[in-house]
Amino acid sequence: MSADLVSQATGVTMALVTLLSGALLAVVPWLTRRREAFAVTVPESAQADPRIARMRHVYLVVLLAVSLACAAGAYALSLSADPLALSALACAPALLGFLLMLLFRSRVRAIKRSEGWEARAQRTAAVAGPAERNVPRPLPLTWDLLYLPVILATLAVTVALYPTMPDPVPVHFDATGAPDDYLAKGWQVIAMPMAVQAFLALSLAAAHWQMLRSRRPVAPESPTASALAYGMFARAQSVALLVTGLVVVAAIALMPLSFAGVVTPGQSIVALLVICVAAIVPQVGVSLVYGQAGSRLLRRMGAAGELDFDDDALWHLGVFYANREDPSVVVPQRFGVGWAMNWGNPRSWALVALFVAAVVAFVVVIELLV
């Protein structure tokens, strides 16, 4: 496969990733729960306020326009193989989306003060009995054991192909598919794909664990319906994460295939790029169908005109949750789709430290292998 074709494939992939992620960010205001507008707690009926509706549309148009421009720029820059510039363009829509959210958040807070939208009393609710037993839950963590046969299969492929590998073995390639780093033939060649797969599997299992440990949001005005909606959302997210994870971990088997020359470096790079784009699709689909915490499943219910509770003070910059009195380590994200850490809980910091240590250990292991 020619270097030009690999560069074009890289450009198309980066453009698609930038466009898909940017488009998902652009529709976030329609995916969040109705009691939240740009990370501010508001009555559900406030979503019909023309001022808030106008902000949503401005946010959509600006982010879509910037995402299109960044996607075009990513395709153009991929031909020059500048990874730093490509990364900057891929991150630009997310950064702009955050800044726009902060701008509109301040305006929604001003509207909230002028309209007197306040929680007269902090109402809470819980789901118990048969309703609690019927609430869907994320897949059990034991499903992550499916990563083991994938890793073992990769080991079997690597061992089977080892005799046909050259010495030294090309283990790293530039953006055009040309080898730029080699490794002496030895046990390290067999261990490297497994080390990468093991790190990815543990990281994905940690994300799965977060879903299982998250506090379940329950709306006081409709506790059963909101619990069911969140349960369906969390289960769908866990399934999408598992499917995506298995595909990504299995894709690492391209490493020994490339080492042995079964596939060319260019073919391997193109295949990985296609897999990266495909990995985004399930998450985008779940987000669009269910919305954050299952909010889109509740759209047909009547909009409440009063605030049952207000936790704005616990969310810093609209995305960082800190509540020392909340024992939860993970909570549903306020602006966006997914989950956020409770930075008021010391266990959250311990988990972050553990993850950083795992990343450092992984980098050290790879350096030792190479």
Side-chain angles (χ1 to χ4, degrees):
M1 186 173 288
S2 68
D4 289 341
L5 186 57
V6 172
S7 296
Q8 288 182 359
T10 303
V12 170
T13 302
M14 291 300 299
L16 285 174
V17 170
T18 303
L19 187 58
L20 282 174
S21 57
L24 182 59
L25 285 171
V27 298
V28 160
W30 283 269
L31 301 179
T32 54
R33 289 168 287 185
R34 289 190 296 178
R35 66 177 184 84
E36 293 160 0
F38 291 102
V40 179
T41 304
V42 296
E44 293 183 353
S45 57
Q47 296 294 341
D49 187 295
R51 294 166 294 182
I52 294 177
R54 185 164 52 251
M55 292 181 209
R56 287 200 302 267
H57 287 95
V58 170
Y59 185 90
L60 172 71
V61 171
V62 171
L63 268 188
L64 283 180
V66 170
S67 298
L68 282 169
C70 288
Y75 177 77
L77 282 177
S78 66
L79 301 178
S80 62
D82 188 342
L84 185 60
L86 281 172
S87 299
L89 282 174
C91 294
L95 177 60
L96 178 62
F98 177 68
L99 294 176
L100 274 178
M101 182 274 292
L102 291 179
L103 172 63
F104 292 145
R105 176 173 176 259
S106 65
R107 294 182 180 179
V108 173
R109 292 174 71 179
I111 295 173
K112 181 178 178 178
R113 288 192 297 268
S114 66
E115 296 292 337
W117 293 335
E118 297 179 357
R120 308 302 178 187
Q122 297 289 93
R123 289 177 57 197
T124 58
V127 179
E132 165 66 21
R133 291 191 294 271
N134 291 330
V135 171
R137 287 172 173 77
L139 294 176
L141 205 59
T142 51
W143 278 88
D144 291 307
L145 292 175
L146 289 175
Y147 291 118
L148 287 177
V150 176
I151 295 174
L152 293 176
T154 301
L155 173 61
V157 170
T158 307
V159 171
L161 293 175
Y162 182 79
T164 65
M165 295 180 186
D167 190 8
V169 179
V171 294
H172 192 270
F173 308 89
D174 61 22
T176 64
D180 57 7
D181 197 5
Y182 295 84
L183 181 64
K185 194 172 181 179
W187 65 269
Q188 297 93 334
V189 175
I190 299 175
M192 183 182 292
M194 291 184 62
V196 175
Q197 286 182 318
F199 176 75
L200 288 174
L202 288 173
S203 300
L204 291 162
H208 188 179
W209 177 84
Q210 280 190 319
M211 296 182 188
L212 291 166
R213 299 291 296 175
S214 172
R215 168 167 53 81
R216 184 175 63 201
V218 177
E221 68 277 3
S222 54
T224 302
S226 59
L228 285 170
Y230 175 78
M232 295 172 67
F233 161 78
R235 188 171 185 83
Q237 283 281 16
S238 67
V239 172
L241 178 67
L242 180 64
V243 172
T244 298
L246 288 172
V247 172
V248 171
V249 171
I252 302 302
L254 287 168
M255 290 178 66
L257 295 176
S258 180
F259 294 167
V262 176
V263 297
T264 66
Q267 291 170 338
S268 180
I269 291 174
V270 171
L272 284 173
L273 293 173
V274 172
I275 290 170
C276 287
V277 174
I280 299 175
V281 174
Q283 300 297 330
V284 172
V286 170
S287 300
L288 295 177
V289 171
Y290 291 90
Q292 169 61 347
S295 61
R296 291 189 63 80
L297 302 180
L298 303 172
R299 290 294 181 180
R300 294 185 179 182
M301 298 184 64
E306 296 182 355
L307 279 180
D308 293 302
F309 62 96
D310 189 339
D311 58 352
D312 283 355
L314 303 175
W315 287 91
H316 305 278
L317 296 179
V319 293
F320 300 106
Y321 179 75
N323 184 1
R324 294 180 179 273
E325 298 180 0
D326 188 347
S328 303
V329 176
V330 183
V331 298
Q333 181 61 269
R334 166 162 280 207
F335 189 78
V337 179
W339 287 266
M341 303 292 287
N342 177 10
W343 300 110
N345 190 326
R347 289 182 295 172
S348 297
W349 292 99
L351 288 172
V352 171
L354 182 62
F355 179 73
V356 171
V359 173
V360 172
F362 172 71
V363 173
V364 170
V365 168
I366 294 298
E367 288 296 325
L368 290 175
L369 290 176
V370 174

